[in-house]
Amino acid sequence: MNTKQTNEMLPKTSDFLPLHGTDYVELYVGNAKQAAHYYKTAFGFQSLAYAGPETGVKDRVSYVLVQNKMRLMLTTPLHSDSPIAEHHKKHGDGVKVLALMVDDAYDAHEQTTKRGGVSCLAPKTLSDANGEVRMSGIKTYGEVEHLFIERKNYNGVFMPGFVEWKSVYNPEPTGLLYVDHCVGNVDWNQMNPWVSFYENVMGFKNILSFDDNDISTEYSALMSKVMSNGNGYVKFPINEPAEGKRKSQVEEYLEFYEGEGVQHVAIATLDIVSTVKQLMARGVEFLKVPNSYYDDLLDRVGPIEEDIEPLKELGILVDRDDEGYLLQLFTKPVEDRPTMFYEIIQRKGAKSFGKGNFKALFEAIEREQANRGNL
Ligand code: FE2
């Protein structure tokens, strides 16, 4: 195994872009009204805010949902000549914005663009009776954007331009807490350029690397490097395909997304058994590893606090690193194209990403690819 812990101690200095975590994730979708219903029903998100023609926005509607510290925005264009419509025509449903919380959106723009970041939103200040939100943004891989959101002087429900969205339909939350990490799939030979982008433009560090010797041969081959900001609140693994005997899952993504984009968003929970049980009962579909995965689980990962039976019943995966262990599970793609999915993760000390599960997982993914005729 060639996993390299390339940076055991995250640096405390030279953080020219202090980040406090993910502010929100915005998806462009075909029908935001119905997608919002899905995220409420299936994942337990709560109605938070709305923007559209009724609030003076003429070209789109956006619904903002929240669960604990995670905010999700779902946006649909109202006309075919909108860039949002072009995006949706090409990619289908997918992540457009990974918005990050900053202290100073104007400085974030200055610091990143002077290091080579390409602006997609010049700094601007939005204000209403509840205060002001300052924001700016730069482009990253594919058509994905990072918006820098500064909301320390804002007390409204979300941001100016949005009104509170009250609904009579409020399914219970499922214990989802916050965004743990967001993974990007990039094209052949593009992983290292994007690693450099996160290092040079955003001041991130490469904290873990997986090469094709870790995760290849007859399994879906890929290479991955995990980029983290200084405090570890924002982590972006970057995958690229690698040559294998069969078509890589990253290749399948690139083909069906018609370009680079966000592969999965990992959401943290403090009780994965309870969360996954509720998600499954509400119709969320997960990848299933064979039952044999559990036969020698404790030999592989050592003692864990959880009972094995519920983990086995739900198909929850376990992995260990030097600092502890983690429990995780991956949904099937949540749209008709085999593109974006979610990960549910509970960390018990471990700061890694479940490398020990890659083989079992890729076998499960390959079975799904074969079912789609894409292997
Ligand atoms: Fe992940």
Side-chain angles (χ1 to χ4, degrees), residues 180-183 237 263-266 328 330 341 343 345 353:
D180 184 276
H181 60 276
C182 295
V183 180
Q263 180 208 41
H264 73 267
V265 175
Q328 64 186 169
F330 298 84
F341 57 89
E343 172 182 349
I345 184 166
F353 296 84

Side-chain angles (χ1 to χ4, degrees), residues 6 16 21 46 50 84 194 241 246 250 260 299 344 346 348:
T6 49
F16 58 81
Q46 309 293 303
Y50 170 84
I84 304 169
W194 286 108
R246 300 176 187 171
V250 179
E260 302 177 337
D299 297 335
I344 311 301
Q346 180 179 3
K348 295 204 147 176

Side-chain angles (χ1 to χ4, degrees), residues 22-188:
T22 303
D23 193 280
Y24 66 90
V25 176
E26 181 178 18
L27 285 84
Y28 283 176
V29 299
N31 187 332
K33 178 178 276 194
Q34 291 189 7
H37 195 77
Y38 169 76
Y39 280 102
K40 289 169 69 170
T41 302
F43 285 87
F45 281 91
Q46 309 293 303
S47 302
L48 181 68
Y50 170 84
E54 301 87 343
T55 69
V57 178
K58 297 300 181 196
D59 67 334
R60 67 184 74 186
V61 293
S62 295
Y63 292 83
V64 184
L65 301 102
V66 65
Q67 189 163 176
N68 293 301
K69 290 182 177 170
M70 179 170 174
R71 280 187 290 252
L72 195 61
M73 188 190 297
L74 303 164
T75 296
T76 289
L78 292 173
H79 306 286
S80 64
D81 61 355
S82 153
I84 304 169
E86 289 301 317
H87 191 282
H88 189 263
K89 180 185 176 190
K90 186 172 172 66
H91 302 298
D93 289 6
V95 172
K96 175 64 180 178
V97 175
L98 296 172
L100 305 169
M101 280 183 239
V102 298
D103 287 326
D104 185 334
Y106 283 63
D107 188 56
H109 192 267
E110 160 80 19
Q111 295 297 332
T112 50
T113 55
K114 84 178 181 195
R115 289 173 168 83
V118 177
S119 177
C120 62
L121 178 66
K124 66 175 183 180
T125 301
L126 305 171
S127 52
D128 65 15
N130 296 303
E132 62 177 41
V133 169
R134 305 204 307 165
M135 60 198 295
S136 63
I138 60 170
K139 296 179 177 183
T140 179
Y141 52 82
E143 293 193 67
V144 182
E145 297 173 353
H146 289 312
L147 296 190
F148 303 119
I149 310 292
E150 172 193 337
R151 53 172 71 256
K152 61 180 184 283
N153 296 316
Y154 194 68
N155 298 312
V157 65
F158 181 59
M159 61 171 65
F162 286 78
V163 292
E164 185 174 9
W165 171 26
K166 285 195 178 128
S167 174
V168 296
Y169 177 64
N170 303 297
E172 286 290 305
T174 58
L176 300 176
L177 295 177
Y178 54 85
V179 174
D180 184 276
H181 60 276
C182 295
V183 180
N185 278 343
V186 299
D187 225 323
W188 294 91

